[in-house]
Amino acid sequence: MLHIPGAWQRAARGAGLLEPDGTASPTIFAEITALAVAHDAINLGQGFPDEDGPQEVLDAATAAIRAGVNQYSPGRGHAELLAAVAEHQQRWYGLEIDPARQVLVTAGATEALAATLLALIDGPDDEVVVFEPYYDSYAACVALAGATLVPVPLRWPNLEPDLDDLRAAVSDRTRLIVVNDPHNPTGTVFSDDVRREIVRLSHHHDALIVTDEVYEHLVLDGPHVPIATLPDAAERTLSISSGGKTFRTTGWKVGWITGPAALIDAVLAVKQFLTYVNGAPFQPAIAAGLRLPDEYFQDLAATQRLRADLLGAGLTAAGFTVSNPAGSYFTVADASALLADGEDASDFCRTLPARIGVAAIPLTAFVSRQHRRDYATLVRFAACKRTEVIEAASARLAASAR
């Protein structure tokens, strides 16, 4: 067999996808999606919407294509989007952002995170603190950059970080603290105490903060609070978001980073050698979305709240113990009462499409190998589908108990 050395092994190992024989295994997402298709199940595994975004945003993309916005955009991003991101940060959070120096457009939040980690990690002595379970690209990119991932557990049932665990994880070796709030995959929204402690620790240990805020407009109760708005935080925080979740345009892959100009310049130095630029006609379209009236954003959160409630009712009726989400697309449920002897959530999720006609992802897909036992009974469901689809899935789940 051909031996293929390289950094890909670090990335695959970091994401938990490197087998003992040195081959890369497929993700659980691909496996569960195939099972959903085979059994005509409602797929609540992957976190993308099944409906288009607002017509104003779609029309703006079409208009940009017809107007000839089809070549490379400027390296930092289309001027219209840079301005709209700065306006958005001021409008919602009171943050003063220079669009020319403090905003960088990326190929979605995933590239923003990759470019940031590659730019700011300096070698094997660096540590990156994340909250576990975590979005799977975090571990892959940290490993690719050669640093060490240090997880802070979010423990069932409240799925909030313990402050003592957080303090134990952050040290003088910590280069970055990655904060996903609202949180994927748990649906957690961090408390003010947690946010303040992250800022305090970042100063005490001279660490930088990197936030992943793609669900910022999907907080189900109350406003989103970016860490950059806290006292003494903006100077050492890079805030990442995107238009995919807010405007139901995940395939457009338009994201951005905001923060101090020197940090943005550092990330740009790496990002320009990744995608260079992307999505030229979609950038002014996302700018149009960011300028939509408040009612659009309020309705978005209200709709997600309704769908989360519908899903939670079906899961409860089916016998799951449900952690009610505070934000994002996701609901985590404990399947302990439904598992056969010797079965865990991974086994359970592989049979769910055939037995019940609903697909979901075991939470162990989002944790490091050594901690999978701690999450062995937990399942993530995505409530980002049309309301009638969530109603149908909820009905199937409730019927399974009968």
Side-chain angles (χ1 to χ4, degrees), residues 74-93:
R76 287 180 179 264
H78 195 288
E80 191 72 5
L81 180 54
L82 298 177
V85 169
E87 293 166 14
H88 172 274
Q89 298 301 87
Q90 168 61 44
R91 169 186 172 188
W92 292 101
Y93 312 127

Side-chain angles (χ1 to χ4, degrees), residues 133-365:
Y134 44 74
Y135 180 54
D136 52 2
S137 81
Y138 298 176
C141 288
V142 169
L144 192 62
T148 300
L149 191 81
V150 180
V152 177
L154 305 182
R155 293 190 174 93
W156 183 266
N158 65 359
L159 296 172
E160 271 259 344
D162 179 84
L163 292 182
D164 287 337
D165 288 339
L166 176 57
R167 293 178 191 119
V170 181
S171 73
D172 289 344
R173 293 183 62 176
T174 302
R175 179 65 175 156
L176 304 172
I177 305 171
V178 178
V179 184
N180 180 199
D181 181 19
H183 188 264
N184 170 17
T186 67
T188 292
V189 169
F190 290 167
S191 69
D192 289 340
D193 286 346
V194 169
R195 295 190 191 104
R196 284 193 294 266
E197 186 63 7
I198 290 168
V199 175
R200 188 191 71 80
L201 289 167
S202 73
H203 279 273
H204 184 70
H205 295 286
D206 195 24
L208 298 173
I209 302 169
V210 178
T211 70
D212 177 353
E213 303 179 47
V214 298
Y215 298 100
E216 61 185 314
H217 290 293
L218 288 162
V219 177
L220 304 188
D221 290 295
H224 172 57
V225 180
I227 279 187
T229 63
L230 271 61
D232 303 318
E235 66 197 55
R236 57 179 58 240
T237 300
L238 282 171
S239 304
I240 294 171
S241 194
S242 78
K245 306 302 191 297
T246 299
F247 305 114
R248 302 190 183 104
T249 53
T250 58
W252 289 10
K253 298 299 292 179
V254 176
W256 53 85
I257 314 172
T258 61
L263 291 177
I264 293 293
D265 288 347
V267 177
L268 174 60
V270 170
K271 181 265 185 295
Q272 64 191 345
F273 299 113
L274 297 177
T275 57
Y276 176 45
V277 293
N278 70 291
F282 300 135
Q283 292 190 30
I286 294 297
L290 290 172
R291 290 166 170 153
L292 288 172
D294 290 3
E295 289 74 19
Y296 170 77
F297 300 92
Q298 293 162 358
D299 289 347
L300 181 73
T303 299
Q304 189 59 39
R305 187 181 308 113
L306 168 65
R307 293 170 179 176
D309 289 345
L310 287 169
L311 176 60
L315 289 168
T316 299
F320 291 87
T321 302
V322 178
S323 173
N324 293 320
S328 84
Y329 283 164
F330 305 108
T331 295
V332 172
D334 187 354
S336 294
L338 307 173
L339 299 177
D341 288 344
E343 188 179 36
D344 64 13
S346 294
D347 304 321
F348 181 80
C349 287
R350 288 182 171 95
T351 65
L352 200 61
R355 290 190 298 108
I356 297 178
V358 175
I361 299 292
L363 207 63
T364 49

Side-chain angles (χ1 to χ4, degrees), residues 368-388:
S368 48
R369 283 186 185 272
Q370 64 267 35
H371 298 150
R372 288 183 181 177
R373 174 177 270 179
D374 298 334
Y375 301 90
T377 63
L378 303 180
V379 181
R380 188 196 79 168
F381 294 83
C384 51
K385 311 304 179 181
R386 286 169 289 128
T387 301
E388 58 267 32

